Amino acid sequence: MKTLSRVACATVLALLITVAAHADPLQPMRVTPDELTWKPTPGGNQRAIIAGDPQKAGLYIYHTRYATGFRNQPHIHSDERIVTILSGTLLVGYGQQFDKSEMKALPAGSVFTEHPKQPHFVWAKDGEVVIQVIGHGPSATTPVATGR
């Protein structure tokens, strides 16, 4: 059992070293909200990259702005994420189907997490919402097949 634990620890350590070796170093920066560069996303939202690159190995941080009424259908990501609501109120649910009864309203300052391949969905029902996403790339988004 001790040998298995040592092998597991060594494997995790090797993985962390490998991931860290592929990540670009974090650069010093100071930026105000007005200085962010917002770009359109394929989903029709706006995104401002703060640090890193979600498509590459390593830490990334970005802000996403959802327009009033935006609904993100169930989907998964390939990486772990920590999401903070910076402004507005975002309704968040976990599961394979978009189910309003399973959603929780998260006002500014709230946080939710997503583990890899955790189906989830969001709704900016009552107004514009800005979130901050922190993850460890490479990242990908895959829609969940709902069987409809």
Side-chain angles (χ1 to χ4, degrees), residues 46-69:
Q46 294 182 325
R47 177 180 291 170
I49 301 292
I50 307 298
D53 182 343
Q55 303 307 310
K56 295 181 180 176
L59 176 72
Y60 64 84
I61 304 170
Y62 63 79
H63 291 183
T64 295
R65 182 183 294 146
Y66 296 136
T68 302

Side-chain angles (χ1 to χ4, degrees), residues 10-102:
T11 302
V12 169
L13 181 59
L15 177 63
L16 290 173
I17 290 170
T18 300
V19 169
H22 288 97
D24 291 331
L26 194 60
Q27 299 297 315
M29 70 176 294
R30 294 173 295 198
V31 62
T32 66
D34 293 339
E35 296 171 325
L36 294 174
T37 302
W38 294 92
K39 296 182 180 178
T41 67
N45 299 299
Q46 294 182 325
R47 177 180 291 170
I49 301 292
I50 307 298
D53 182 343
Q55 303 307 310
K56 295 181 180 176
L59 176 72
Y60 64 84
I61 304 170
Y62 63 79
H63 291 183
T64 295
R65 182 183 294 146
Y66 296 136
T68 302
F70 174 76
R71 288 170 55 141
N72 201 345
Q73 296 299 316
H75 61 283
I76 60 172
H77 301 289
S78 56
D79 60 315
E80 292 181 313
R81 295 173 169 213
I82 301 168
V83 182
T84 303
I85 290 69
L86 299 177
S87 66
T89 297
L90 187 65
L91 280 77
V92 178
Y94 296 107
Q96 303 264 344
Q97 302 285 331
F98 192 100
D99 183 350
K100 295 177 192 176
S101 70
E102 293 294 322

Side-chain angles (χ1 to χ4, degrees), residues 123-137:
W123 187 11
K125 180 181 177 185
D126 297 321
E128 180 181 274
V129 175
V130 177
I131 63 171
Q132 176 172 276
V133 178
I134 300 173
H136 201 274

